[in-house]
């Protein structure tokens, strides 16, 4: 990442969960909700110390987003989608902060939220964002649908990400709608099925597109 204010904003969002846990730690009960079933009911409690691990995800992701491009053999590509990369970093770190806030609320008032609906809606909104920008991501080793076929052919990369972005956007739209209208179990199935389709379909087609393009290239007799 290069934009200074975006780096500062990312780290502020990344550290927010740690600050919240530190500020509320003495008021938290010894055992807090840590896992919810498909129906949204709490099915596991754990030590409040586990919240530190959840809160540490933000700084870990921020660190990766800031420094991984420097290690990428295709680091020059980032200049072509820098603002989308930075937007992705901000949104993902913000997503983790919101999820931490929801978890802390449940620590104080277990069962006050329909966790299945809340999480599905939040993930759906994340998918809407990612689906909208995926087609703008250029070849790199850390972000996007990275496989031998997309990384070997820029045209295959672009076609795959346009398709994957569209499918992920539809998955997010369906997840948000289901979170509002349908039972939690149905919403979870729709979300998982949509995410799986958005990952598998572009991957399979990228292989087919690459082979088709390879068949049209002149053979290398060297």
């Amino acid at each position: 990442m290069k934009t200074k204010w975006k780096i500062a904003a990312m780290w502020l969002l990344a550290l927010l969960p740690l600050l919240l846990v530190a500020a509320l730690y003495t008021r938290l009960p010894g055992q807090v909700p840590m896992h919810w079933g498909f129906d949204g009911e709490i099915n596991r409690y754990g030590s409040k110390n586990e919240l530190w691990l959840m809160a540490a995800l933000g700084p870990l992701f921020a660190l990766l987003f800031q420094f991984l491009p420097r290690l990428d053999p295709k680091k020059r590509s980032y200049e072509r989608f820098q603002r989308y990369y930075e937007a992705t970093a901000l949104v993902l770190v913000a997503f983790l902060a919101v999820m931490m806030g929801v978890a802390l609320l449940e620590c104080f008032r277990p069962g006050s939220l329909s966790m299945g609906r809340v999480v599905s809606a939040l993930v759906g909104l994340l998918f809407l964002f990612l689906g909208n920008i995926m087609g703008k991501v250029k070849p790199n080793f850390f972000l996007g649908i990275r496989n031998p076929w997309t990384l070997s052919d820029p045209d295959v990369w672009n076609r795959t990400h346009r398709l994957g972005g569209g499918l992920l956007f539809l998955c997010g739209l369906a997840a948000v709608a289901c979170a509002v209208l349908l039972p939690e179990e149905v919403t979870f199935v729709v979300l998982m099925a949509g995410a799986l389709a958005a990952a598998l379909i572009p991957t399979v087609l990228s292989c087919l597109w690459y082979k088709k393009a390879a068949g049209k290239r002149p053979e290398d007799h060297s």
Side-chain angles (χ1 to χ4, degrees):
M1 296 182 66
K2 295 182 179 181
T3 310
K4 291 183 178 180
W5 75 264
K6 290 181 180 179
I7 295 174
M10 178 183 69
W11 278 103
L12 179 62
L13 289 168
L15 294 172
L16 183 59
L18 286 173
L19 296 175
L20 285 174
V21 173
L24 300 173
Y25 189 77
T26 57
R27 297 168 54 191
L28 289 167
Q31 296 290 305
V32 296
M34 293 304 300
H35 193 271
W36 292 260
F38 298 155
D39 58 359
E41 297 295 324
I42 300 167
N43 58 20
R44 186 177 81 82
Y45 284 81
S47 168
K48 64 181 180 179
N49 290 327
E50 294 183 50
L51 293 173
W52 291 111
L53 296 176
M54 294 174 59
L57 289 175
L60 176 61
F61 271 75
L63 193 66
L64 292 173
F65 272 115
Q66 187 168 352
F67 292 107
L68 279 180
R70 302 182 187 183
L71 305 176
D72 196 331
K74 295 181 178 291
K75 57 185 175 183
R76 291 187 178 179
S77 290
Y78 288 82
E79 297 176 1
R80 300 165 58 197
F81 69 102
Q82 185 68 36
R83 66 189 181 109
Y84 300 111
Y85 179 81
E86 292 176 344
T88 301
L90 285 170
V91 168
L92 284 177
V93 173
F95 173 80
L96 292 174
V98 172
M99 291 291 288
M100 189 76 238
V102 170
L104 286 171
L105 180 60
E106 277 289 285
C107 291
F108 288 106
R109 300 178 60 186
S112 61
L113 294 175
S114 177
M115 286 297 287
R117 295 185 186 278
V118 171
V119 172
S120 294
L122 289 173
V123 173
L125 290 173
L126 178 63
F127 282 2
L128 285 172
F129 167 79
L130 294 175
N132 192 51
I133 64 101
M134 187 175 288
K136 303 174 179 68
V137 175
K138 301 305 178 183
N140 71 93
F141 280 88
F142 296 121
L143 184 66
I145 303 172
R146 305 167 310 283
N147 59 47
W149 312 294
T150 57
L151 291 172
S152 298
D153 189 321
D155 290 333
V156 173
W157 174 283
N158 291 332
R159 291 183 69 181
T160 301
H161 282 74
R162 285 196 295 268
L163 174 62
L167 292 174
L168 200 60
F169 186 90
L170 290 175
C171 176
L173 198 62
V176 172
C178 289
V180 175
L181 300 173
L182 298 178
E184 292 171 325
E185 297 91 335
V186 176
T187 301
F188 178 81
V189 172
V190 170
L191 181 60
M192 291 298 100
L196 188 63
L200 288 181
I201 293 174
T203 298
V204 172
L205 287 178
S206 70
C207 177
L208 298 177
W209 287 331
Y210 179 82
K211 290 182 176 180
K212 183 177 180 180
K216 295 180 179 179
R217 299 189 190 104
E219 293 185 8
D220 183 2
H221 298 288
S222 59

